[in-house]
Amino acid sequence: MKILEMNHIRKSFGSLDVIKDISLSVSEGEILSIIGPSGSGKSTILRCATMLETIDSGEIIYLGEKAAFTSDGGNVVYAKGEKAKKINSNFGLVFQNFNLFPHYSVLKNIMDAPIHVQKRDKAEVLETSRALLKKMGLSDKENYYPCQLSGGQQQRVSIARALCMKPKILFFDEPTSALDPELTLEILKVIRDLAKEHMTMVIVTHEMTFAKEVSNRIIFMEKGVIVEETTPDKLFNSDNERTREFLGKYYNS
C-alpha cells in the first residue's frame, strides 16, 4: 500500500527553481533515504510533503487522498478543513533543530498536539507519552524543560512527540546535523530501532553509511532533480559518474 505519492512536483523561490519535476512514492513499511549536496532540494521536498511549503505544480497524495493537486486552470488546490486535518494526521516530521516549545515541559511537549489537535483522551495520551519516553530512555526527564537537556535528548523528545501522533509515515530532516558525533550515534540507534519495527520513514541525511544500512531505497538528488533512485547496494556501486563523485570515500564501502 502506498502511503505517499508525490507526482511532478515543482517548487521555486523567486527565480530559483529548487524542485524540478520530481516524482516519488513511499509504500507502507518502507524506508527511503534522500541524499545529495547542500542546496539540492532535499529538505524542500520534505517541507512540500508536509505542507510547510506550497508547491507550484504537481500533486501530493496520502493513502489515496489528494492533499494537493494542480487544477485545470493551473492553480494548486490544497485540501481544507476536516479533510486536511485527516490527511495531516498521516505524517510526522522531526526537524534538525528539534523545534520543541521551550516553555513546555518534556511531557507537555509530547502531549499537547494529541490532546488539542487530535482531541484524544488525556489519560490515553499520558500513557502513550510515558511509554514513548521509556522507549527513548527519558523516563526520568518528563518534568524537565528543553534547555535542561542535551541536544541528543532534545531530539529524542522530538521523535517521541512525532510518534505520539501515531503517524503512518515519519519524515526526518537531517535529524543529526545539529549534533556532535556521540549524540549522532544516539539518534541513529533510535531510527534503527524504528526501522526494526517497520515504521515507514523518509530520511534526509548526510550519514551515508547509515543510509546504506537502514534504507530499502535511496534517492540521490542534485540541483532539484533526482539523479538516481535505487537500492543501497546498487547506489553505492553506481556507474553514474556524479553519484560516484558525491559518494567519494564511501564508494565501495
Side-chain angles (χ1 to χ4, degrees):
M1 178 175 63
K2 284 186 180 175
I3 304 269
L4 169 68
E5 296 170 71
M6 300 181 77
N7 299 318
H8 303 293
I9 304 297
R10 294 179 183 274
K11 175 65 184 176
S12 299
F13 295 103
S15 60
L16 182 64
D17 294 330
V18 180
I19 303 294
K20 305 170 187 172
D21 196 16
I22 279 185
S23 297
L24 61 86
S25 66
V26 187
S27 296
E28 187 175 16
E30 191 174 30
I31 298 165
L32 171 68
S33 288
I34 303 177
I35 64 172
S38 296
S40 58
K42 306 184 301 296
S43 292
T44 302
I45 201 78
L46 248 61
R47 291 178 67 82
C48 289
T50 54
M51 320 305 162
L52 292 174
E53 296 286 357
T54 54
I55 59 174
D56 296 334
S57 64
E59 64 177 359
I60 302 170
I61 303 168
Y62 279 94
L63 294 168
E65 295 265 12
K66 288 192 179 182
F69 65 93
T70 307
S71 70
D72 292 339
N75 298 317
V76 174
V77 179
Y78 275 84
K80 293 183 174 61
E82 285 303 311
K83 186 177 180 183
K85 192 174 170 184
K86 181 186 170 192
I87 289 168
N88 290 348
S89 72
N90 288 316
F91 60 79
L93 175 60
V94 177
F95 300 88
Q96 52 186 294
N97 293 317
F98 325 133
N99 281 28
L100 297 172
F101 293 112
H103 54 295
Y104 284 2
S105 69
V106 163
L107 193 61
K108 187 169 170 56
N109 261 289
I110 297 170
M111 291 180 64
D112 193 62
I115 290 171
H116 294 109
V117 177
Q118 294 182 328
K119 310 296 183 191
R120 280 160 50 195
D121 177 70
K122 189 173 181 180
E124 178 265 320
V125 173
L126 177 60
E127 185 181 343
T128 302
S129 299
R130 284 185 165 148
L132 285 166
L133 282 173
K134 184 177 181 182
K135 185 176 181 173
M136 298 293 158
L138 295 169
S139 291
D140 59 336
K141 306 294 186 193
E142 68 173 51
N143 294 316
Y144 281 51
Y145 287 84
C147 65
Q148 297 173 292
L149 303 177
S150 70
Q153 289 170 333
Q154 288 186 60
Q155 192 60 297
R156 278 183 280 158
V157 171
S158 71
I159 294 170
R161 177 180 62 180
L163 288 171
C164 198
M165 300 288 280
K166 300 185 175 177
K168 300 280 195 307
I169 183 170
L170 200 50
F171 296 95
F172 290 88
D173 185 7
E174 298 190 15
T176 60
S177 67
L179 304 175
D180 65 34
E182 190 174 358
L183 297 180
T184 291
L185 292 175
E186 196 179 288
I187 298 307
L188 297 183
K189 181 186 181 302
V190 170
I191 300 173
R192 280 191 188 95
D193 289 344
L194 291 173
K196 287 174 192 167
E197 295 168 17
H198 306 291
M199 181 77 204
T200 309
M201 293 184 278
V202 178
I203 307 165
V204 168
T205 184
H206 287 299
E207 302 288 337
M208 298 302 141
T209 305
F210 170 73
K212 182 180 180 183
E213 174 196 325
V214 83
S215 311
N216 302 109
R217 278 186 301 130
I218 302 180
I219 284 174
F220 170 47
M221 276 182 71
E222 185 174 47
K223 296 179 181 174
V225 300
I226 293 174
V227 176
E228 198 163 358
E229 176 179 0
T230 187
T231 62
D233 282 346
K234 286 182 179 174
L235 192 91
F236 278 77
N237 292 283
S238 175
D239 293 330
N240 183 292
E241 188 179 340
R242 183 61 190 105
T243 305
R244 291 169 63 125
E245 183 188 347
F246 176 75
L247 290 172
K249 63 180 180 180
Y250 299 102
Y251 185 70
N252 280 337
S253 63

